[in-house]
Amino acid sequence: MMEGKEEGIVAVVTLKENAHKVEGGRASVFYAENEEELEYLTMLLSRITTAMAHNLGNGVYILVKH
């Protein structure tokens, strides 16, 4: 069993122009230059953190450990 495995939002990925949508909170925020980079960063971070990626539909993805 892994120690320290927390559930909840572990990261937020969005476009730089959407920075105002993700203010505050304790999760790490990653900013992409364009849609292609947004999807690529989300995929990589999801694999690295073993978290599920969820598209909020407003240009923001959240990575959640369940």
Side-chain angles (χ1 to χ4, degrees):
M1 185 169 151
M2 281 179 55
E3 295 292 325
K5 184 178 178 183
E6 292 187 32
E7 294 185 349
I9 298 173
V10 295
V12 178
V13 187
T14 190
L15 295 171
K16 284 186 178 182
E17 61 198 42
N18 292 334
H20 65 281
K21 294 181 180 179
V22 294
E23 294 175 348
R26 65 181 181 132
S28 299
V29 180
F30 297 86
Y31 298 102
E33 295 288 335
N34 54 50
E35 290 285 337
E36 184 178 341
E37 185 180 31
L38 175 66
E39 291 179 12
Y40 184 70
L41 278 173
T42 300
M43 181 267 305
L44 283 179
L45 290 168
S46 177
R47 289 180 180 177
I48 292 167
T49 62
T50 63
M52 295 296 298
H54 299 278
N55 183 350
L56 299 182
N58 61 350
V60 178
Y61 284 83
I62 57 172
L63 290 116
V64 180
K65 284 229 182 190
H66 295 281

